[in-house]
């Protein structure tokens, strides 16, 4: 029997029923604003380590873990500027907290595939490997489970 993919959007009523917990980031990051010349493409696709593709537009930021430059993602300009703080030239720390809940709270099946509609595009994730993250503007994205312990700590 074929199991359908579950889709999650920020305005879904389901989001209000989830038991999110608040976390703060502990890691340094590098970021560079995407500012192509007028005659160059005005969007950029970034392939995430887990296989998703995020699309950034002119002005958005390309962010990576400081110790892992290959782990890159796109952050919308307004969100980046409201939630990140520059510690040194090109080195940032995310100052905003993030709310997290295991995706299995939605699926009840760790093998279930889920499409999360982030501000940078849809991302497909296996529920057992990801948490659902909610940002300061209610935006959603899947966060790899292995990142939780290494880059976040719970807010008491």
């Amino acid at each position: 029997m074929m199991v359908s993919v579950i889709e999650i959007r920020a305005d879904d009523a389901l989001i209000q029923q989830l038991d999110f917990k608040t976390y703060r980031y502990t890691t340094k990051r590098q970021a560079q604003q995407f500012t192509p010349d007028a005659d160059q493409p005005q969007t950029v696709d970034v392939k995430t380590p887990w296989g998703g593709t995020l699309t950034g537009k002119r002005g958005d930021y390309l962010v990576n873990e400081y110790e892992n430059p290959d782990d890159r993602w796109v952050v919308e300009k307004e969100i980046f500027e409201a939630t990140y703080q520059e510690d040194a030239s090109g080195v940032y720390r995310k100052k905003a907290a993030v709310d997290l809940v295991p995706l299995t709270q939605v699926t009840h099946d760790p093998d279930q595939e889920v499409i999360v509609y982030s501000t940078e595009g849809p991302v497909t994730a296996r529920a057992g490997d990801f948490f659902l993250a909610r940002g300061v503007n209610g935006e959603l994205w899947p966060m790899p489970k292995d990142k939780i312990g290494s880059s976040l700590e719970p807010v008491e």
Side-chain angles (χ1 to χ4, degrees), residues 1-2 10 17 19 24 26 29 34-35 37 39 43 51 54 65-66 77 90 95 109 125-126 136 144:
M1 181 172 126
M2 184 74 152
Q17 300 168 15
D19 187 24
R24 289 221 182 272
T26 59
R29 297 178 173 166
F34 177 62
T35 55
D37 292 334
D39 63 339
T43 61
L54 302 175
E65 298 291 349
Y66 191 78
K77 178 185 187 299
K95 62 184 179 181
D109 176 0
R126 183 180 163 276
V136 296

Side-chain angles (χ1 to χ4, degrees), residues 1 8 10 32 38 48 54 72-73 79 86 92 99 125 131 139 152:
M1 181 172 126
I8 302 174
Q32 180 178 14
T48 65
L54 302 175
R72 291 179 51 189
W73 61 94
I79 293 172
E86 191 168 23
Y92 296 84
D99 295 327
F131 274 60
E139 71 278 11
L152 294 149

Side-chain angles (χ1 to χ4, degrees), residues 28-32 64 66 80 86-92:
K28 293 188 294 185
R29 297 178 173 166
Q30 294 175 307
Q32 180 178 14
N64 63 272
Y66 191 78
F80 182 88
E86 191 168 23
D87 288 344
S89 182
V91 179
Y92 296 84

